[in-house]
Amino acid sequence: MAGIAEGRVVIVTGAGRGLGRAHALAFAAEGAKVVVNDLGVGLDGAPGPQSPAAQVVREIEALGGEAVAHGGDVATPEGAASLVRTAVSSFGRLDTLVNNAGFLRDRMLVNLDEEDWDAVVRVHLKGHFLPLRSAAAWWRAEAKAGRPVAARVVNTSSGAGLLGSVGQGNYSAAKAGILGLTLVAAAEMGRYGIQVNVIAPAARTRMTEQAFAESMAAPAAGAFDAMAPENVSPLVVWLGADASAGVTGRVFEAEGGRITVMEGWRPGPSADRGARWTPAEAGEAAAKLLAAAEPAQPVYGSR
């Protein structure tokens, strides 16, 4: 029986470990040909030993699938462009891009230096924008040439991007930026047959194991592992497949066996006097509106 990604060519960035590896294996299990991107760096973004991308390729091939490794830096224009070229030269086309690459440099804001800010924003936010731009340019050219396009992009945000996270100002800002980027890309690219969605996953990975060591501990033998990264991948595969036709510009949380559609910023209580407020009047109105509004969700780590 063919899988739901049968014949599709899929790029997964940051796919050497954790969520990216789980996504790559899940796509391959559903019949996709996979470009496994991983720069092979440590949690702080410093160069590490040989990239694990080749190992994931071997895993996919051992299961009867097709995959190639890509070791370029997707937060550079050339790295992102070569990622798309690798898919097209290896498999003749590109259908799905999963942006997943990232790392952490956690500090409280007063201790967060500019280098750590720039490094995290570069990898997460720029590392989403550049592959998205390169892939979209290829798909646009295909559409303009009259060839049918049913492209999918799955971006990766976080609960930190939705609510904020104490000690992760750089990461939270970058992940919030990915949400905005997704909404704009979905609106701009739909005319070319490109759907763009974003997930906010929770799982046990190298990036989370220190911050959530207790709550994300491995379960007892035989029990459901709610924090396994493989739990997130089925939704990502569906979003990256033909089966998700018509779904674009949406935000999903995924954790364990739970999937949640996040509804984002929507107008709440409002007051309009039809003229300019004085500061005192604006304050009085704001207080009344806040009393009628839903309470804000707490920032992670603030309780």
Side-chain angles (χ1 to χ4, degrees):
M1 182 176 177
I4 67 169
E6 189 71 32
R8 291 183 73 84
V9 176
V10 178
I11 289 171
V12 184
T13 70
R17 304 179 179 90
L19 284 165
R21 172 182 172 274
H23 299 341
L25 290 168
F27 271 108
E30 291 291 331
K33 301 175 177 66
V34 186
V35 178
V36 180
N37 164 265
D38 198 281
L39 191 57
V41 299
L43 286 174
D44 63 353
Q50 183 178 2
S51 171
Q55 173 59 35
V56 176
V57 169
R58 287 192 289 270
E59 290 184 72
I60 290 172
E61 291 175 339
L63 296 171
E66 296 182 59
V68 295
H70 178 272
D73 182 354
V74 297
T76 66
E78 174 53 31
S82 72
L83 185 62
V84 174
R85 287 198 302 269
T86 296
V88 176
S89 64
S90 299
F91 301 120
R93 57 185 295 114
L94 173 62
D95 300 291
T96 299
L97 167 66
V98 179
N99 282 315
N100 171 77
F103 65 83
L104 299 175
R105 290 188 182 177
D106 293 351
R107 299 283 190 279
M108 301 298 279
L109 285 172
V110 294
N111 297 319
L112 182 62
D113 62 34
E114 187 176 3
E115 179 185 357
D116 288 340
W117 173 275
D118 288 345
V120 169
V121 171
R122 173 187 178 274
V123 170
H124 287 275
L125 190 51
K126 196 173 184 181
H128 270 62
F129 161 64
L130 290 174
L132 174 58
R133 185 181 67 175
S134 291
W138 191 82
W139 287 320
R140 182 181 63 178
E142 290 290 287
K144 288 186 174 182
R147 290 183 283 272
V149 174
R152 307 286 187 264
V153 178
V154 184
N155 291 330
T156 307
S157 183
S158 166
L162 294 166
L163 299 176
S165 180
V166 171
Q168 294 187 309
N170 48 2
Y171 178 74
S172 297
K175 288 302 193 184
I178 289 167
L179 296 171
L181 175 65
T182 299
L183 299 180
V184 172
E188 291 184 354
M189 296 176 183
R191 72 188 73 178
Y192 304 117
I194 306 168
Q195 294 181 185
V196 189
N197 294 285
V198 59
I199 62 164
R204 185 191 314 103
T205 68
R206 289 197 310 161
M207 283 176 52
T208 60
E209 62 185 359
Q210 295 301 317
F212 304 106
E214 293 184 6
S215 62
M216 293 192 174
F224 174 56
D225 185 356
M227 289 294 105
E230 290 78 8
N231 297 331
V232 176
S233 300
L235 175 62
V236 174
V237 172
W238 181 78
L239 288 170
D242 284 332
S244 64
V247 179
T248 193
R250 304 309 295 260
V251 182
F252 297 85
E253 275 196 330
E255 176 183 349
R258 177 176 60 84
I259 296 172
T260 305
V261 176
M262 303 303 290
E263 295 188 331
W265 295 105
R266 293 179 178 273
S270 178
D272 183 356
R273 65 171 299 180
R276 184 179 301 146
W277 305 88
T278 68
E281 290 169 339
E284 181 179 357
K288 290 179 179 178
L289 295 174
L290 288 168
E294 291 291 328
Q297 294 293 304
V299 173
Y300 286 106
S302 63
R303 289 178 285 188

